[in-house]
Amino acid sequence: MLVIADYSQIELRIAARIANDANMIEAFQQGQDLHELTARRVLGISEVTKEQRQLAKALNFGLLYGMGPDGLRRYARANYGVRLSETEARDFRDKFFDAYPGLAKWHRQVRRQHDSKVRTLLGRRRLLGSDTPDTVRLNTPVQGIGADGLKLALAYLWQRREQVPAARLILACHDEIVLEVPEHLGEQAANCLRSAMLDAMAAILDPVPVEVETRLAPNW
């Protein structure tokens, strides 16, 4: 049996913690779907359709790292099948940062300071050249913290290996870990894996809550 676990919306949760965006943090603490919240705030609606949620996903993931209106148009079309005019892309981008002022403030700070290095919340450093784009300066700490948390989860799994001795690590990639276990130990291994991943990332992102989704599969 394969046991698959991944962090839910982890990049957005990390960004909320770094930027200390009160609206994002509150949404996660209340268990809201951030994509639906973004759609409601940007479009000024109460009920969100599937298509509008796709637009919100393009805004959340596209604008998180400082993408401009033209880049947003290309990203939304290529990744979510959402077509935006120049005016819509510019308008939605402005409304997005109005909705999340903490995120906007973080972006301004990064552009203004233009540091020669960035660090994750655990202190891991990346040196940057003077010509490094701001998108990289914004992306690095988020992706870096994601890597820090996943590696810490792997360490916890090793420390707690006696809980499910038969479990074997198959894959660790981005925000996902996959184990292989005898079928009758699937649920037990899933609980162990979920606990390790939650303990690893929760300590880094507090007060932003962390969610881990698990599933069992008999084959790839």
Side-chain angles (χ1 to χ4, degrees):
M1 177 69 67
L2 295 176
V3 181
I4 304 137
D6 62 276
Y7 288 110
S8 174
Q9 298 185 356
I10 195 61
E11 290 182 44
L12 296 173
R13 294 174 190 271
I14 293 171
R17 169 64 176 82
I18 293 175
N20 195 30
D21 188 287
N23 292 335
M24 295 178 75
I25 293 174
E26 181 182 15
F28 284 126
Q29 289 176 339
Q30 294 179 355
Q32 297 184 47
D33 182 322
L34 199 71
H35 300 317
E36 290 193 5
L37 177 62
T38 296
R40 291 197 300 270
R41 286 175 173 264
V42 170
L43 299 175
I45 57 178
S46 56
E47 297 296 326
V48 179
T49 66
K50 181 179 178 180
E51 291 74 19
Q52 290 165 337
R53 190 174 186 276
Q54 285 294 97
L55 167 61
K57 290 177 71 173
L59 297 177
N60 282 337
F61 293 124
L63 299 178
L64 185 62
Y65 302 126
M67 189 177 288
D70 289 339
L72 175 62
R73 292 181 66 202
R74 293 190 296 269
Y75 178 80
R77 181 175 179 179
N79 292 276
Y80 298 98
V82 176
R83 295 175 180 269
L84 300 175
S85 68
E86 293 182 13
T87 300
E88 286 175 328
R90 192 176 300 109
D91 183 54
F92 289 159
R93 186 177 185 275
D94 290 342
K95 290 180 178 177
F96 175 84
F97 286 112
D98 287 341
Y100 303 116
L103 203 64
K105 181 180 179 180
W106 171 47
H107 282 214
R108 289 194 299 269
Q109 288 174 337
V110 168
R111 293 190 179 98
R112 182 172 63 249
Q113 293 169 354
H114 217 67
D115 292 336
S116 61
K117 60 181 178 294
V118 295
R119 293 184 182 272
T120 69
L121 292 173
L122 294 185
R124 191 154 56 91
R125 183 184 67 169
R126 180 181 181 182
L127 298 177
L128 302 172
S130 58
D131 59 344
T132 301
D134 290 330
T135 51
V136 175
R137 296 174 185 275
L138 293 164
N139 179 285
T140 294
V142 176
Q143 298 289 347
I145 292 166
D148 287 346
L150 194 76
K151 291 174 182 176
L152 188 56
L154 293 173
Y156 284 160
L157 272 178
W158 175 252
Q159 290 175 355
R160 304 169 185 179
R161 62 191 181 278
E162 293 305 320
Q163 295 180 12
V164 190
R168 295 291 180 267
L169 177 66
I170 299 299
L171 174 71
C173 182
H174 300 299
D175 61 355
E176 181 177 275
I177 296 177
V178 180
L179 304 179
E180 185 179 54
V181 299
E183 185 174 358
H184 70 282
L185 295 176
E187 289 294 342
Q188 182 179 343
N191 291 334
C192 180
L193 178 55
R194 183 189 299 109
S195 177
M197 293 176 70
L198 286 174
D199 290 348
M201 198 68 80
I204 302 173
L205 298 191
D206 184 65
V208 179
V210 178
E211 290 187 9
V212 173
E213 299 175 347
T214 61
R215 56 196 182 279
L216 305 178
N219 54 55
W220 287 106

